[in-house]
Amino acid sequence: DVVMTQSPLSLPVTLGQPASISCKSSQSLVHSDGNTYLNWFQQRPGQSPRRLIYKVSNRDSGVPDRFSGSGSGTDFTLKISRVEAEDVGVYYCMQATHWPPIMFGQGTRLEIK
Amino acid sequence: QVQLVESGGGLVKPGGSLRLSCAASGFTFSDYYMSWIRQAPGKGLEWVSYISSSGSTIYYADSVKGRFTISRDNAKNSLYLQMNSLRDEDTAVYYCARGRWRGVPFDSWGQGTLVTVSS
């Protein structure tokens, strides 16, 4: 199984400052079809998860452009250019290249400093 | 608008059974594959099971294989999870989520239903 490792697990950020979350996979997430199926999810307190980014860098509809995804192979990053109060929650990366099983990272808890 | 509404959760004793349902609306259910994902209290997300749009392909996480059965009824726009031989570690909020294209799943999630396994 592919193991997804996120860091940091806790991320205190000052409002208006940038934030960055790393996600590393135990093997390359490049599929034989040429796509890289690495997705990012946000879970606000008390809410269901919501997909933010699909295939490394594509923002879902309605996701603010302060969120961006990047990376390749085994190393990926989710960046928030300027953190807002509504960004508080837990962020998960998830790979869907080598499955089953579909694997999530452990989650990174973003809080306001 | 897209809606996924889970139901059927509750308190059950170890070794017991429960059947979860997920009612879909606002989209063509038969065009989408579906999954169950769970989240133990205070923990992260764990994928549980997948079923293709037609129901012909099914996968399970090793942790539930042989105990859980996923199914769907496209005529009723519904997804199910039959859970047998429940264990304490199955205690979690169970979400249903959909996907359409390969590798880009879970663009919509339900609100979740809580399953508590305890004596």
Side-chain angles (χ1 to χ4, degrees), chain B residues 24-36:
Chain B
S25 60
F27 65 101
T28 304
F29 183 67
S30 58
D31 284 347
Y32 287 77
Y33 57 84
M34 300 294 295
S35 269
W36 289 98

Side-chain angles (χ1 to χ4, degrees), chain B residues 37-49:
Chain B
I37 300 124
R38 68 184 180 183
Q39 186 170 37
K43 302 296 185 183
L45 300 171
E46 178 189 15
W47 170 79
V48 172
S49 184

Side-chain angles (χ1 to χ4, degrees), chain A residues 39-101:
Chain A
N39 308 288
W40 288 95
F41 295 83
Q42 174 196 58
Q43 187 174 30
R44 291 171 171 152
Q47 294 188 14
S48 302
R50 163 201 183 195
R51 198 177 69 192
L52 296 177
I53 302 280
Y54 61 94
K55 288 197 294 182
V56 180
S57 60
N58 298 275
R59 271 191 307 275
D60 272 281
S61 175
V63 174
D65 61 7
R66 62 178 182 277
F67 289 92
S68 64
S70 63
S72 63
T74 61
D75 288 355
F76 304 93
T77 302
L78 176 69
K79 291 183 178 174
I80 309 173
S81 58
R82 295 172 306 280
V83 169
E84 298 188 5
E86 66 177 18
D87 300 335
V88 165
V90 182
Y91 292 81
Y92 297 92
C93 60
M94 185 212 79
Q95 74 85 19
T97 294
H98 307 289
W99 69 281

Side-chain angles (χ1 to χ4, degrees), chain B residues 40-63:
Chain B
K43 302 296 185 183
L45 300 171
E46 178 189 15
W47 170 79
V48 172
S49 184
Y50 159 96
I51 186 167
S52 62
S53 56
S54 66
S56 60
T57 301
I58 285 172
Y59 300 118
Y60 298 99
D62 286 346
S63 57

